[in-house]
Amino acid sequence: VVEPADSPIRVSGVIDLVANDGGRTVIRDIKSAARAPHEYEARDSGQLSMYAMLHQLESGTLPDAVALDYIIAEPKARAPIYKVSLESTRTAEDVAVTVARLNNAIAATRAGVFVANGVGTWACSPKWCRYWPSCPYVSKARIAARKD
């Protein structure tokens, strides 16, 4: 549990692996997927930014790199299982942006503002959102189509 500067919150998380890779500190997050990820996944990952922030707050330094290690099993292609690694870096500015996003989410929640997830994202689905059937941000036609 850490407390970011310029934020009234405490953050906790579990990093999959902090590796010493040839003298470099690399935070690795291990994922499994049915298809290869896009090349920008590590660069744009908020989760990796959060891990870099946690590492900095615990150790005093940012990691040299952050990485997503995917184990890919494409069942329809009947291809062998393979690994894809995507590496990126995080800067002090990235950490500041992460803290600003956290503070914004806290302020919105305290004000009773709950922003809807984007349609088509994994979080906006009946599997992951318990409010999906009654959500005013999901069209009734989509709801009806999913009940069939």
Side-chain angles (χ1 to χ4, degrees), residues 3 6 44 47 89 96-97 101 103 108 116 127 132 140 146:
E3 297 180 17
D6 303 321
D44 295 346
Q47 183 177 7
T89 58
V97 167
R101 292 177 66 84
N103 288 337
K127 180 177 180 181
W132 199 84
K140 302 304 179 223
R146 291 298 283 259

Side-chain angles (χ1 to χ4, degrees), residues 116-126 128-129 132 142 146:
N117 286 300
V119 174
T121 63
W122 65 268
C124 184
S125 69
W128 298 105
C129 180
W132 199 84
R142 282 190 69 221
R146 291 298 283 259

Side-chain angles (χ1 to χ4, degrees), residues 33-35 72-79:
R35 60 183 171 81
I72 311 296
E74 297 176 347
K76 293 181 182 176
R78 298 180 193 239

Side-chain angles (χ1 to χ4, degrees), residues 17-84:
L17 178 65
V18 178
N20 181 337
D21 184 5
R24 296 182 326 139
T25 300
V26 182
I27 292 178
R28 307 195 86 80
D29 189 48
I30 302 162
K31 307 258 184 218
S32 61
R35 60 183 171 81
H38 295 285
E39 61 187 36
Y40 55 79
E41 295 288 337
R43 181 195 69 207
D44 295 346
S45 171
Q47 183 177 7
L48 290 179
S49 295
M50 182 73 72
Y51 289 164
M53 179 191 73
L54 290 171
H55 183 271
Q56 181 183 34
L57 291 168
E58 289 180 343
S59 71
T61 62
L62 284 169
D64 296 304
V66 293
L68 294 174
D69 293 329
Y70 282 86
I71 306 302
I72 311 296
E74 297 176 347
K76 293 181 182 176
R78 298 180 193 239
I81 295 173
Y82 61 98
K83 176 185 167 194
V84 173

Side-chain angles (χ1 to χ4, degrees), residues 101-148:
R101 292 177 66 84
L102 288 170
N103 288 337
N104 184 57
I106 292 165
T109 302
R110 286 183 176 154
V113 176
F114 300 94
V115 178
N117 286 300
V119 174
T121 63
W122 65 268
C124 184
S125 69
K127 180 177 180 181
W128 298 105
C129 180
R130 68 183 219 187
Y131 301 106
W132 199 84
S134 61
C135 181
Y137 305 108
V138 177
S139 74
K140 302 304 179 223
R142 282 190 69 221
I143 292 170
R146 291 298 283 259
K147 289 182 181 176
D148 295 339

